[in-house]
Amino acid sequence: MVIGGSMAGLLSARVLADHFDTVTLVERDVRGEGPAARKGVPQGPHIHVLLDAGRRILDKYFPDLFEQLQVQGAELIDSSGDLAWHHFGVWKLRRTSGIPGLLCTRPLLEWNVLRRVKARPNVVVREGCSIEGLIHDEKGTGRITGVRVKTPQGEESWSADLVVDASGRGSRMPQWLEAIGYARPEEEQVVVDLSYTTCLHEPPPHFQKEWKALFLYPNPPKAWRAGFISHVEGGRWIVTLNGYFGEHAPTEYAGFREYARSLTRPDLYDFLKEATPIGPISQHKVKDCRWRHYEKLPRFPEGLVILGDAACAFNPLYGQGMSVAGLGADLLDTCLREQTGRGELSGLAQRFRERLPEVIRLPWLLGTGMDLLYRQAVGKRPFGLGLLHWYILRLMERTSTDAHVHRQFYRMLHLHAGLEAVLQPSVALPVLSHGVMSLFRPLERLANTETRPPPVTPPRPGPVPVEKSTG
């Protein structure tokens, strides 16, 4: 039984279909045919980033997905060469990285994954239903045996050998566990009060296509507004403006455009003022990022797995959520394969919850570490964080001029490698040297702060070949 039909739930259902006779996916929303935003995914209308670790997971479980997405108008780009990115006060190098980036709307991606999950003969999707609580074995075995479900016909009890909570930020699992005699998990939280404000646009007819995506990240701790433009299907732009700490972009167009003008760089506004808005402006607010440490609970029931945003909800500004959810589903697959031969599921829930932090720890450190650069962010600041911040700031500045440092940063960013990628001597020495020079020279003499880098290669026509996962 999978709770939640978003990306984490869809990937979990796909993984479970290889191990169980029947997989039931329970979703509150009733979805129509075709890609469309829905109530259960309020972040759906806004820009999304799929890190390459997530792309590889999707390619592993849905081998034809990316070819079909491109036929439907999505683009696979080089995530460095086709991206103009101003970050921490500097323009990052544009070079051919070999790391693909997916450009499309979230509804198009999710709909294509849903179609493939529904096509599995042993997967049943029940929409218009909501989970109300857990059913457990009251004889003391400590096993979850099913769920209580509110259906259009009334409340029912459904049995299951394994329950997977992939219900997202709104997960009620702490309350459900408490109701059957377990403790609530410890929560690690960083409060950021972030907003996403988005409007689709028709690009200017004279746009030269010098980039496929333009990212203007804030320069902490001095600025906390960001803006993004990305090509999506239908030849459109998705334009998203972000603001921390209550500085939310207006939802009427004149104010939206003036907010874009207020960013630390003029580039996004200069393109936006020539574009034509299409449709309404959407807004989504995110109060915090939150990690529920289920792995620290002294008691935990068998037959229960929690992953995706239900376990750890990230700051969406860093584009980690879908990829970490995919890595969590892949870990579940690994744990189930290790279970083969035992003939039952004892120990699976414990092993999974103990290993999930291996998936979460690096993206959590990267995201919250950046958020805690702001004095206004509320959260625990561990010892040594100031030193880490100094190093990361110098590292980001160095990505403007040093191809090797840039390459290793991208490996870490896309979860191909851990912190060792940017702490190895071949990276640390030039970063530290840059830090020393920054004591005597202004940043504009050490890095490219002003000039948007030109494209690496001319625009590519037609679908891009996709690197296949080896599993």
Side-chain angles (χ1 to χ4, degrees):
M1 189 80 62
V2 179
I3 306 171
S6 193
M7 290 297 292
L10 293 171
L11 279 161
S12 298
R14 169 62 188 86
V15 162
L16 295 167
D18 289 342
H19 300 275
F20 289 83
D21 293 332
T22 305
V23 178
T24 303
L25 187 150
V26 186
E27 168 56 45
R28 286 182 302 178
D29 290 340
V30 177
R31 289 179 274 209
E33 288 300 317
R38 58 190 181 89
K39 183 179 178 181
V41 186
Q43 71 274 28
H46 306 281
I47 192 169
H48 278 72
V49 172
L50 181 68
L51 302 179
D52 194 50
R55 182 196 66 82
R56 292 182 178 190
I57 296 296
L58 285 168
D59 186 55
K60 175 180 176 179
Y61 293 105
F62 307 104
D64 69 336
L65 174 65
F66 291 99
E67 288 88 345
Q68 289 302 308
L69 283 169
Q70 288 183 91
V71 169
Q72 295 168 39
E75 289 190 76
L76 276 176
I77 65 168
D78 187 281
S79 61
S80 172
D82 293 321
L83 169 64
W85 185 1
H86 197 265
H87 194 197
F88 284 88
V90 303
W91 287 104
K92 291 196 184 301
L93 283 174
R94 292 183 69 178
R95 50 180 295 275
T96 302
S97 68
I99 299 176
L102 176 67
L103 301 186
C104 70
T105 60
R106 165 71 179 262
L108 181 69
L109 174 61
E110 188 174 296
W111 179 66
N112 274 275
V113 173
L114 173 66
R115 288 171 55 211
R116 285 158 177 77
V117 171
K118 281 185 169 181
R120 307 291 298 186
N122 59 336
V123 175
V124 177
V125 178
R126 294 290 303 270
E127 296 183 338
C129 302
S130 61
I131 305 300
E132 299 299 306
L134 302 172
I135 302 171
H136 70 117
D137 183 353
E138 298 181 0
K139 297 179 181 179
T141 62
R143 177 177 290 279
I144 301 301
T145 59
V147 290
R148 291 185 291 105
V149 191
K150 181 185 289 185
T151 73
Q153 292 75 39
E155 188 166 297
E156 302 176 7
S157 296
W158 296 353
S159 62
D161 296 301
L162 180 68
V163 173
V164 177
D165 181 12
S167 59
R169 283 180 177 267
S171 169
R172 292 184 287 162
M173 188 55 67
Q175 297 94 312
W176 294 342
L177 285 174
E178 192 173 45
I180 59 173
Y182 291 86
R184 286 175 174 249
E186 171 190 327
E187 289 194 10
E188 193 172 350
Q189 183 185 48
V190 177
V191 179
V192 292
D193 192 11
L194 178 75
S195 70
Y196 264 47
T197 310
T198 297
C199 184
L200 289 166
H201 285 71
E202 196 76 42
H206 56 272
F207 176 61
Q208 297 300 308
K209 300 183 179 179
E210 62 169 283
W211 43 260
K212 297 295 182 70
L214 172 68
F215 290 178
L216 301 183
Y217 269 74
N219 187 12
K222 297 176 290 185
W224 46 82
R225 292 183 177 188
F228 309 87
I229 302 178
S230 171
H231 286 257
V232 292
E233 68 275 9
R236 301 167 295 171
W237 281 352
I238 187 168
V239 182
T240 293
L241 303 177
N242 296 92
Y244 281 92
F245 315 121
E247 289 196 6
H248 305 160
T251 54
E252 45 82 24
Y253 192 70
F256 180 87
R257 193 163 63 176
E258 282 305 304
Y259 192 95
R261 192 205 291 265
S262 76
L263 301 178
T264 54
R265 291 286 313 171
D267 304 75
L268 186 144
Y269 174 76
D270 288 344
F271 287 109
L272 183 62
K273 67 185 181 182
E274 302 293 333
T276 304
I278 308 170
I281 296 176
S282 301
Q283 189 170 79
H284 174 57
K285 297 179 181 179
V286 178
K287 177 187 175 184
D288 58 17
C289 38
R290 181 183 60 244
W291 186 356
R292 289 173 170 162
H293 289 279
Y294 289 102
E295 77 281 3
K296 295 183 180 180
L297 287 176
R299 295 175 56 245
F300 192 80
E302 289 283 3
L304 177 64
V305 162
I306 306 162
L307 52 73
D309 282 3
C312 185
F314 296 91
N315 181 340
L317 188 69
Y318 306 112
Q320 300 164 318
M322 289 193 297
S323 298
V324 176
L327 291 169
D330 195 50
L331 173 63
L332 178 58
D333 188 28
T334 299
C335 290
L336 284 164
R337 293 185 189 283
E338 293 171 354
Q339 201 79 14
T340 301
R342 300 189 183 191
E344 44 83 36
L345 293 173
S346 294
L348 172 71
Q350 309 301 334
R351 191 163 62 255
F352 179 84
R353 73 175 176 123
E354 289 168 1
R355 290 170 61 176
L356 186 62
E358 300 169 13
V359 170
I360 294 172
R361 194 169 289 114
L362 175 62
W364 176 261
L365 174 64
L366 295 176
T368 59
M370 294 301 96
D371 288 339
L372 290 170
L373 276 164
Y374 296 107
R375 295 187 305 274
Q376 301 94 324
V378 179
K380 182 179 178 182
R381 288 170 165 82
F383 178 77
L385 183 63
L387 181 60
L388 177 63
H389 280 161
W390 182 90
Y391 185 85
I392 292 295
L393 286 170
R394 305 294 82 79
L395 172 75
M396 297 302 187
E397 292 167 2
R398 189 75 182 185
T399 60
S400 177
T401 59
D402 189 316
H404 178 67
V405 172
H406 181 274
R407 183 181 305 113
Q408 296 306 315
F409 166 72
Y410 257 67
R411 291 184 64 228
M412 179 182 70
L413 175 71
H414 286 273
L415 307 180
H416 291 176
L419 281 174
E420 72 280 357
V422 298
L423 295 177
Q424 60 181 291
S426 64
V427 173
L429 290 176
V431 169
L432 294 173
S433 174
H434 173 94
V436 172
M437 289 189 290
S438 69
L439 299 174
F440 307 101
R441 298 180 186 177
L443 180 59
E444 55 266 24
R445 292 183 59 189
L446 296 174
N448 176 15
T449 61
E450 299 299 321
T451 305
R452 189 171 64 249
V456 176
T457 57
R460 294 184 294 263
V464 175
V466 182
E467 173 194 344
K468 288 295 179 183
S469 170
T470 61

